[in-house]
């Protein structure tokens, strides 16, 4: 082998090794950018027990006729790409629609991917429950407290069931989930408590002793070991089904608006394509979310011209938004409904910036 050829090969080997590493070895970075959008007036794809895929309405009204909807009301998401190679990271870093951040910011080192996924799913369930409660309150539908879940080793395990409507505590009527939480919160661990309820139209009651809140709370504080939410007293119910890959709390606002549209006459969106994001509390308060700029871009790519932005996110949202999209500022569910009605009638709703 000639010296020149040997020199060339000696120079090529490190270069090839570097290329292989750059295109195969992963780096502790993730990219974040615009994710898929989902129309809450449409359907979600879910897998059945036999492995088939079926389409189910995102918002399915039970117990009363649903109002017809028009236009679109889109949930927006952030796409997170993990296991990046050095080449991937460089490519996404150069893309103005993407942000590259340390992996620990998205996936904490003390939690597995499955734990993060389970946490996001739990936050979505809480968001759905809050969206229902906020929509019912906005529409003035009378409410009643209902058991949404029972801990297997809780104080009332085997006594109360999911779906039971709570009617009283120690003989005093309870009107909603808040009053149940307040009544139980007044008691201490070990106190005896009697819960009145109805199940399938039949009245019942059960007496038990409250458990301790445990190491994560006041050990002297009593707890029942149930998840309680509000349900309409007139029999109205809403089943919410979202794509299994969507998690977190930020769909609350849009889900609440979709429920309001389905349960009231007229078109909340005015028949337009609208998108948004925001957490929501049962009283209708809209809270801030993460990734607002990615979600606005996702909505713009989906052909949306109106985007609902939590007031707390406005300062970030106005930083280089896409052309042709109006950023409507909202702080409550009622304010969001009013702003959309104003926009639909050709008026000027409150906007960011």
């Amino acid at each position: 082998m000639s010296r020149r050829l040997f020199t060339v090969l000696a120079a090529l080997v490190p270069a090839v090794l570097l290329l292989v590493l750059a295109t195969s070895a992963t780096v502790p970075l993730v990219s974040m950018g615009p994710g898929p959008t989902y129309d809450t007036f449409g359907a979600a794809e879910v897998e059945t027990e036999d492995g088939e895929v079926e389409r189910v309405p995102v918002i399915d009204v039970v117990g009363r006729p649903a109002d017809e909807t028009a236009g679109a009301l889109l949930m927006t998401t952030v796409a997170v790409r993990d296991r990046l190679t050095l080449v991937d990271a460089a490519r996404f870093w150069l893309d103005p629609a993407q942000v590259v951040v340390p992996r620990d910011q998205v996936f904490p080192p003390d939690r597995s991917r499955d734990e993060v996924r389970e946490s996001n799913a739990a936050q979505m369930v809480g968001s759905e429950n809050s969206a229902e409660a906020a929509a019912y309150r906005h529409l003035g539908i009378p409410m009643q407290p209902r058991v949404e879940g029972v801990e297997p080793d809780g104080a009332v395990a085997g006594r109360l069931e999911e779906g039971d409507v709570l009617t009283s505590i120690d003989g005093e009527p309870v009107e909603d989930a808040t009053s149940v939480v307040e009544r139980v919160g007044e008691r201490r661990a070990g106190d005896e408590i009697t819960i009145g309820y109805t199940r399938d139209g039949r009245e019942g009651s059960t007496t038990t002793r409250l458990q301790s809140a445990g190491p994560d709370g006041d050990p002297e504080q009593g707890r029942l070991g149930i998840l309680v939410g509000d349900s309409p007293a007139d029999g109205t119910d809403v089943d919410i089904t979202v794509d299994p890959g969507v998690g977190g709390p930020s769909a609350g606002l849009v889900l609440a608006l979709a429920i309001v549209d389905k349960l009231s006459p007229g078109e909340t969106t005015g028949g337009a394509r609208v998108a948004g994001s925001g957490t929501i509390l049962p009283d209708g308060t809209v809270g801030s979310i993460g990734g607002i700029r990615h979600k606005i871009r996702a909505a713009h790519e989906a052909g949306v011209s109106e985007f609902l932005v939590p007031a707390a996110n406005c300062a970030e949202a106005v930083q280089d938004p896409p052309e042709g999209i109006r950023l409507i500022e909202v702080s409550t569910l009622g304010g969001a409904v009013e702003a959309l009605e104003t926009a639909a009638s050709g008026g000027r709703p409150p906007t960011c910036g």
Side-chain angles (χ1 to χ4, degrees), residues 228-313:
V228 61
D230 288 325
S231 65
D234 64 359
T236 298
D237 199 2
V238 171
D239 292 330
I240 301 176
T241 304
V242 298
D243 187 283
V246 180
S250 60
L253 169 62
V254 173
L255 290 173
L257 284 168
I259 294 170
V260 169
D261 200 301
K262 290 259 189 174
L263 295 180
S264 59
E267 307 296 341
T268 302
T269 65
R273 288 178 63 81
V274 176
S277 188
T279 64
I280 198 160
L281 296 178
D283 66 1
T285 300
V286 175
S288 63
I289 50 89
I292 186 68
R293 296 171 68 184
H294 300 310
K295 294 176 180 180
I296 292 170
R297 187 176 292 274
H300 183 260
E301 292 174 356
V304 168
S305 58
E306 309 276 2
F307 191 97
L308 300 170
V309 180
N313 287 114

Side-chain angles (χ1 to χ4, degrees), residues 8-268:
V8 171
L9 290 176
L12 280 177
V13 170
V16 170
L17 289 176
L18 286 174
L19 179 62
V20 170
L21 287 174
T23 56
S24 61
T26 59
V27 292
L29 300 170
V30 298
S31 71
M32 303 173 66
T37 59
Y38 302 89
D39 186 6
T40 55
F41 292 162
E45 292 187 350
V46 297
E47 186 174 344
T48 63
E49 293 183 356
D50 58 3
E52 298 293 328
V53 175
E54 64 177 5
R55 292 179 61 80
V56 178
V58 175
I59 306 294
D60 189 19
V61 177
V62 181
R64 63 187 284 182
D67 188 61
E68 293 294 327
T69 58
L73 184 55
L74 304 182
M75 292 189 301
T76 50
T77 65
V78 175
V80 178
R81 296 174 177 84
D82 193 13
R83 307 184 190 285
L84 302 182
T85 65
L86 189 59
V87 171
D88 293 331
R91 177 165 55 89
F92 288 126
W93 184 76
L94 293 171
D95 186 343
Q98 301 287 326
V99 173
V100 178
V101 299
R103 189 179 188 278
D104 289 355
Q105 290 187 17
V106 180
F107 300 103
D110 59 339
R111 302 172 66 190
S112 68
R113 288 175 62 89
D114 287 342
E115 288 174 331
V116 172
R117 189 179 299 112
E118 289 172 3
S119 174
N120 287 338
Q123 288 180 325
M124 173 59 80
V125 172
S127 178
E128 293 170 1
N129 291 337
S130 294
E132 288 187 51
Y136 297 149
R137 281 180 169 80
H138 174 78
L139 296 171
I141 298 174
M143 305 300 291
Q144 59 189 6
R146 180 177 65 181
V147 177
E148 303 290 349
V150 180
E151 295 180 5
D153 56 353
V156 292
R159 302 167 182 262
L160 293 180
E161 299 177 0
E162 184 175 336
D164 288 348
V165 174
L166 305 183
T167 56
S168 66
I169 293 180
D170 290 334
E172 295 293 327
V174 287
E175 298 178 350
D176 54 25
T178 300
S179 61
V180 173
V181 173
E182 290 176 348
R183 293 282 184 83
V184 174
E186 296 170 354
R187 312 296 294 275
R188 312 304 289 173
D191 286 354
E192 190 175 85
I193 190 170
T194 299
I195 309 295
Y197 63 91
T198 61
R199 180 183 301 162
D200 299 328
R202 295 189 298 272
E203 296 184 358
S205 67
T206 184
T207 300
T208 187
R209 291 190 180 278
L210 294 175
Q211 292 178 319
S212 168
D216 295 331
D218 181 354
E220 296 184 3
Q221 178 67 53
R223 63 192 301 269
L224 279 172
I226 62 172
L227 177 64
V228 61
D230 288 325
S231 65
D234 64 359
T236 298
D237 199 2
V238 171
D239 292 330
I240 301 176
T241 304
V242 298
D243 187 283
V246 180
S250 60
L253 169 62
V254 173
L255 290 173
L257 284 168
I259 294 170
V260 169
D261 200 301
K262 290 259 189 174
L263 295 180
S264 59
E267 307 296 341
T268 302

